[in-house]
Amino acid sequence: MDVSVTNPVAEFSAPPGRGGAALARDFVRRTLADWGYRGDHDDAVLVVSELVTNTLRHASGVPLLRLVGAARGLRIEVADSSPVLPRSRPPGSSGGWGVPLVQRLTACWGTEPRSGGKVVWCEMPATAS
């Protein structure tokens, strides 16, 4: 997927504590509708919800959500201040569902170190409609 510099970018700082993930979901819904994104909005919202919730639960600081995309594709990035990378663990009542969910709903994903923390990113190409 080509997410060149000509594609729109939108950023949102999710407030810590209760409600931050819900506000991030609302931001994604509005942004994707404004952009005319042709992919599955619900899948993108679910992925963002998982990434932001994990950041709020496991990292410190304010998560920064960044969307880069257009009608044909979307890159989602969530930056935080923890250098600890996400890892797979057996799913159960205490969690472990996030990495498999992101793997299943996205074309690719990964992490990058950034300023004492990291960015977890993924790409979601839209299907032609």
Side-chain angles (χ1 to χ4, degrees), residues 56-82:
L56 291 168
R57 181 177 290 162
H58 301 294
S60 59
V62 176
L64 177 64
L65 168 63
R66 184 173 188 256
L67 303 176
V68 180
R72 292 189 322 265
L74 177 67
R75 181 178 170 101
I76 299 167
E77 299 177 353
V78 178
D80 65 50
S81 58
S82 172

Side-chain angles (χ1 to χ4, degrees), residues 2-128:
D2 177 25
V3 287
S4 65
V5 294
T6 60
N7 289 328
V9 175
E11 293 184 342
F12 176 77
S13 294
R18 292 190 160 294
L23 292 171
R25 289 189 297 270
D26 291 341
F27 170 78
V28 171
R29 284 186 193 99
R30 284 191 315 273
T31 302
L32 297 183
D34 288 348
W35 287 352
Y37 176 64
R38 289 181 262 171
D40 190 317
H41 290 213
D42 291 336
D43 284 355
V45 168
L46 183 56
V47 167
V48 165
S49 184
E50 182 63 35
L51 295 177
V52 169
T53 297
N54 282 348
T55 299
L56 291 168
R57 181 177 290 162
H58 301 294
S60 59
V62 176
L64 177 64
L65 168 63
R66 184 173 188 256
L67 303 176
V68 180
R72 292 189 322 265
L74 177 67
R75 181 178 170 101
I76 299 167
E77 299 177 353
V78 178
D80 65 50
S81 58
S82 172
V84 178
L85 300 178
R87 61 179 174 82
S88 287
R89 57 190 174 106
S93 61
S94 64
W97 301 96
V99 170
L101 180 124
V102 171
Q103 287 174 327
R104 171 166 264 165
L105 296 179
T106 65
C108 57
W109 76 281
T111 61
E112 299 171 5
R114 192 168 293 166
S115 303
K118 68 180 167 304
V119 172
V120 179
W121 60 268
C122 60
E123 293 183 353
M124 302 181 77
T127 55

